[in-house]
Amino acid sequence: MTVRRRLFDAEHDAFRDSFRRFIDAEAVPNVNQWEAAGVTPRGFWRKAGALGFLGFEAPTEFGGVEIHDFRYNAIIQEEVAASGIATDGFALHNDILAPYLIEYADEEQRSRWLPGFVSGELVTAIAMTEPGTGSDLAAITTKATYDGDHLVVEGSKTFITNGSSADLVLVLARTGEREGRGMTLVAIERGTKGLIQQAPLKKAGRKGQDTAEIVIDGCRVPRANIVGVAGNAFDLVKRNLARERLSIAVYAVASAREGLRLALEHTRARKTFRQPIASHQAVLHGLAGMHTDIEVAQSHVDACVVALNDGELTAHDAAGIKYWATDLESRVLDQSLQYFGGYGFMDEYPISRRWRDARVQRIYGGANEIMRDIVGRQLIR
């Protein structure tokens, strides 16, 4: 009982079916193994690239198909959420890093990096967050000092998705332009002396996703590895944040929908006092509330996808849907787990994994408290 979504057409539906088959065959059976290892294997990304699920916005000469339609990105996020594999890899690759390498990189850089980016041979990361800064990117201390045709980069980054496995890391560093406020994106390639990619961190959730600390100890990097205009990186980052936050919101609503599906399945089958749990009024009203909240959120997320495609999604609109959708996700998954009773707290039950994997959504991409601040400040301008 849902309102028919009008966001997708037949080509999108075919893409969804293809991606779902890929995930069901290549990812879902391996979740336990990936969680134990703390990383998604490189072979998985090569298979994804071979089937056209990575970097599809890239120009055809680099292996892409030049599709600039965020509905395809949304489909991938929705199906990843529905599958329960809890990887940030697709979102990082397609939604966050793609614009930097496709729109802001120069021709020589695109020739160097995009073929591997599209094929899945090149695992990428973007290193912005630091141990003392969190969501406050303006406070970063990593520095890049000019030295002839090179930069010398010093600093440390933390909570970096693909941090231990990345072949190419885009590092946000201070370079001192613009009256000392200038920041630059410097691409550092795996194997560069002084680039120390630590082992994956142990986390409460999303255990199969490589998240690591990176130490940058005097890396000498060619000036040719500056992405975009030197000193202007903070503007590029801010421009891309709306897309990143919408990606998180898309995943969050799909995750909440799957949590509700599991709750419905369980409460229909499980009985207390000789009747299904779902027939008790308190549970019935809870299910109704979750369903309606998800439907309302879905409509707004879909509208934001259209706005992004039209170049109209603002930073404050993206901040608003990010915090609303991820708060909803946590609320729905927590309530759904409650309906499972003690079983919901056991790892072998999918609702348990979804509950713990969702918690970080309210933190990364900008903590939800900061998202509210962005929306509020816009209102009182």
Side-chain angles (χ1 to χ4, degrees):
M1 187 183 69
T2 60
V3 175
R4 182 170 69 87
R5 297 173 71 187
R6 302 177 185 275
L7 186 64
F8 305 109
D9 59 28
E11 289 186 2
H12 296 108
D13 293 340
F15 180 83
R16 184 187 296 276
D17 290 342
S18 177
F19 185 72
R20 183 185 296 128
R21 288 195 300 272
F22 167 70
I23 287 292
D24 286 345
E26 300 293 341
V28 173
N30 300 311
V31 168
N32 289 337
Q33 180 182 344
W34 295 355
E35 288 203 346
V39 64
T40 304
R42 303 177 71 90
F44 173 77
W45 299 117
R46 289 193 291 269
K47 290 177 182 178
L51 292 172
F53 299 131
L54 299 176
F56 38 80
E57 291 179 82
T60 54
E61 61 263 38
F62 304 121
V65 290
E66 297 189 53
I67 291 179
H68 298 277
D69 179 354
F70 199 76
R71 289 176 292 181
Y72 288 97
N73 304 62
I75 287 167
I76 287 178
Q77 282 295 79
E78 289 177 356
E79 292 304 316
V80 167
S83 74
I85 64 173
T87 176
D88 301 315
F90 286 103
L92 174 69
H93 204 87
N94 293 328
D95 304 345
I96 299 173
L97 271 156
Y100 293 110
L101 298 185
I102 295 170
E103 298 177 29
Y104 309 141
D106 61 33
E107 279 302 306
E108 188 277 331
Q109 291 170 341
R110 296 204 296 173
S111 297
R112 240 194 306 164
W113 298 324
L114 279 182
F117 182 78
V118 174
S119 71
E121 296 287 338
L122 189 77
V123 176
T124 54
I126 185 162
M128 295 190 286
T129 302
E130 296 183 0
T133 63
S135 299
D136 185 9
L137 293 181
I140 68 163
T141 60
T142 296
K143 292 183 179 180
T145 305
Y146 293 105
D147 183 15
D149 291 334
H150 289 75
L151 297 97
V152 179
V153 189
E154 294 271 359
S156 61
K157 302 290 184 176
T158 194
F159 308 139
I160 306 305
T161 301
N162 287 352
S164 75
S165 55
D167 302 300
L168 184 74
V169 184
L170 298 192
V171 175
L172 183 64
R174 291 192 173 278
T175 44
E177 300 89 350
R178 302 173 71 173
E179 298 180 352
R181 295 179 291 109
M183 299 183 190
T184 299
L185 274 175
V186 183
I188 306 181
E189 293 163 304
R190 189 177 190 87
T192 299
K193 185 178 180 181
L195 180 66
I196 304 167
Q197 298 171 255
Q198 308 279 25
L201 296 164
K202 303 297 183 183
K203 308 187 294 295
R206 296 183 178 254
K207 295 176 181 291
Q209 175 63 59
D210 170 15
T211 307
E213 295 179 349
I214 295 177
V215 176
I216 309 157
D217 184 14
C219 287
R220 285 184 60 82
V221 184
R223 284 198 189 213
N225 279 24
I226 290 175
V227 176
V229 178
N232 200 41
F234 196 60
D235 291 340
L236 298 184
V237 169
K238 288 194 296 183
R239 193 184 310 169
N240 203 39
L241 282 175
R243 174 173 163 136
E244 175 183 352
R245 288 165 180 164
L246 176 57
S247 174
I248 294 170
V250 168
Y251 181 100
V253 175
S255 171
R257 189 180 296 281
E258 183 63 15
L260 175 60
R261 185 192 69 78
L262 292 171
L264 285 168
E265 184 180 86
H266 180 75
T267 56
R268 286 169 176 156
R270 182 79 172 176
K271 291 184 178 181
T272 58
F273 306 106
R274 292 179 293 184
Q275 59 180 316
I277 295 174
S279 66
H280 296 293
Q281 188 178 65
V283 176
L284 190 66
H285 287 187
L287 294 169
M290 291 191 292
H291 164 77
T292 304
D293 288 348
I294 291 167
E295 290 299 293
V296 172
Q298 187 71 76
S299 294
H300 189 50
V301 164
D302 288 357
C304 287
V305 170
V306 172
L308 181 69
N309 273 352
D310 292 342
E312 298 173 355
L313 184 68
T314 66
H316 54 274
D317 285 337
I321 192 57
K322 189 270 179 182
Y323 88 70
W324 181 266
T326 54
D327 280 355
L328 169 68
E329 177 188 22
S330 287
R331 187 169 69 250
V332 168
L333 291 173
D334 190 73
Q335 187 62 64
S336 296
L337 185 149
Q338 184 74 16
Y339 293 150
F340 279 77
Y343 293 105
F345 207 62
M346 301 299 109
D347 264 354
E348 61 263 33
Y349 278 74
I351 191 64
S352 173
R353 286 185 174 182
R354 291 178 180 279
W355 173 71
R356 62 172 165 78
D357 288 338
R359 184 58 184 87
V360 73
Q361 292 260 95
R362 290 152 55 196
I363 299 172
Y364 62 15
N368 281 8
E369 291 78 8
I370 292 176
M371 299 301 96
R372 287 175 170 83
D373 195 61
I374 292 170
V375 174
R377 289 181 182 277
Q378 177 64 28
L379 291 175
I380 62 173
R381 277 185 176 177

